[in-house]
Amino acid sequence: MDILAKNIAQFNETLASQIPAETLQAFQRSVQDLEEKQTGSKSLKIGDKFPDFQLSNFDGQMHSLQELLKNKLVIAFLRGSWCPYCNLEIQALQNELHQFKAKDANLVIITPQPASINAEWQQQQNTGFQILSDKDNLLAKKLGIDIELQEFVIPHYKAMGIDLLQINQTEQYSLPIPAVYVLDSHATITYKFVNPDYMKRVNIEKLLNQL
């Protein structure tokens, strides 16, 4: 088992003793519904061109795909700083950042959160890579990795203090499926990880082997 998966398994054990059973059941039902609908199965494939974008970083500066695509580019879509699984993934990526650099690969995180929240997240996690803001999940929608939270699970998020409309400054309960893409210098997708179960994340070792 890779380190990230091990950390997630340990977190899930702790979570099970802290969250009401009905909330855990709602989260599990939400994931099962997404899996049954094969959410994300029609997303961009290996060999496809990644669409161009203009997204803002923590201080409002715009960054384009071509600007970030110096050689190889790793793009990870995360749900947000409120998501413990995303925090575990961002920590795992940061811990191996030296290996990404050794392989001459640029790394960027994309989230629907506004720049101000991404700035706090970047500072909290002390990341050595950019966190960009995908307002209203528009880029994720282009890729086919966007989801709408089901109505039955929204109250459980709110009960935990997670008001996504307020956090993301939007009118949609829209989130990206946690996903990771590797692009070559021509913006062609050479590797992808897309899983509608947000508790299952990319294997960092396998990711590094793709670079």
Side-chain angles (χ1 to χ4, degrees):
M1 181 183 295
D2 65 286
I3 294 175
L4 178 54
K6 183 178 180 180
N7 290 340
I8 287 174
Q10 290 175 345
F11 172 78
N12 284 338
E13 289 182 11
T14 303
L15 188 68
S17 64
Q18 296 178 341
I19 302 298
E22 59 269 25
T23 296
L24 286 175
Q25 291 169 2
F27 289 161
Q28 291 165 356
R29 179 184 165 197
S30 173
V31 169
Q32 184 178 4
D33 177 61
L34 293 174
E35 290 178 329
E36 289 175 351
K37 292 177 179 176
Q38 296 185 322
T39 308
S41 62
K42 296 181 180 179
S43 60
L44 289 186
K45 304 180 295 297
I46 292 174
D48 288 343
K49 289 282 187 179
F50 200 90
D52 198 10
F53 57 77
Q54 290 274 348
L55 302 177
S56 63
N57 70 355
F58 70 96
D59 62 359
Q61 291 184 338
M62 303 301 292
H63 291 271
S64 68
L65 173 63
Q66 293 304 317
E67 176 190 347
L68 296 166
L69 195 64
K70 302 286 176 64
N71 184 21
K72 289 167 285 191
L73 178 62
V74 179
I75 301 177
F77 284 81
L78 299 181
R79 304 197 304 164
S81 56
W82 52 269
C83 171
Y85 301 95
C86 295
N87 279 289
L88 289 173
E89 182 173 338
I90 222 173
Q91 290 163 13
L93 290 169
Q94 177 62 34
N95 289 341
E96 302 300 332
L97 183 58
H98 63 288
Q99 293 206 56
F100 287 97
K101 291 181 176 179
K103 292 175 178 285
D104 200 21
N106 199 7
L107 172 64
V108 65
I109 305 297
I110 296 178
T111 164
Q113 293 179 155
S116 58
I117 296 180
N118 284 339
E120 294 176 7
W121 199 16
Q122 196 154 0
Q123 187 174 22
Q124 288 169 357
Q125 295 291 350
N126 193 28
T127 63
F129 41 79
Q130 295 277 11
I131 303 179
L132 304 182
S133 179
D134 181 22
K135 174 67 175 170
D136 293 328
N137 230 28
L138 296 180
L139 179 57
K141 288 176 181 176
K142 283 185 181 180
L143 298 173
I145 59 168
D146 63 303
I147 65 164
E148 290 288 330
L149 275 186
Q150 305 94 334
E151 288 189 10
F152 67 81
V153 79
I154 291 173
H156 294 278
Y157 276 82
K158 288 185 175 179
M160 297 177 67
I162 304 168
D163 186 340
L164 290 174
L165 300 189
Q166 182 178 18
I167 292 170
N168 293 337
Q169 298 178 11
T170 184
E171 298 178 356
Q172 306 167 348
Y173 285 99
S174 177
L175 290 172
I177 299 172
V180 178
Y181 295 90
V182 175
L183 312 184
D184 67 15
S185 58
H186 303 290
T188 300
I189 299 170
T190 60
Y191 172 82
K192 64 176 278 190
F193 172 89
V194 176
N195 195 323
D197 184 348
Y198 58 83
M199 290 179 281
K200 296 176 181 176
R201 300 299 174 111
V202 67
N203 183 312
I204 305 295
E205 183 178 352
K206 287 183 179 179
L207 173 60
L208 287 166
N209 287 338
Q210 299 297 318
L211 300 178

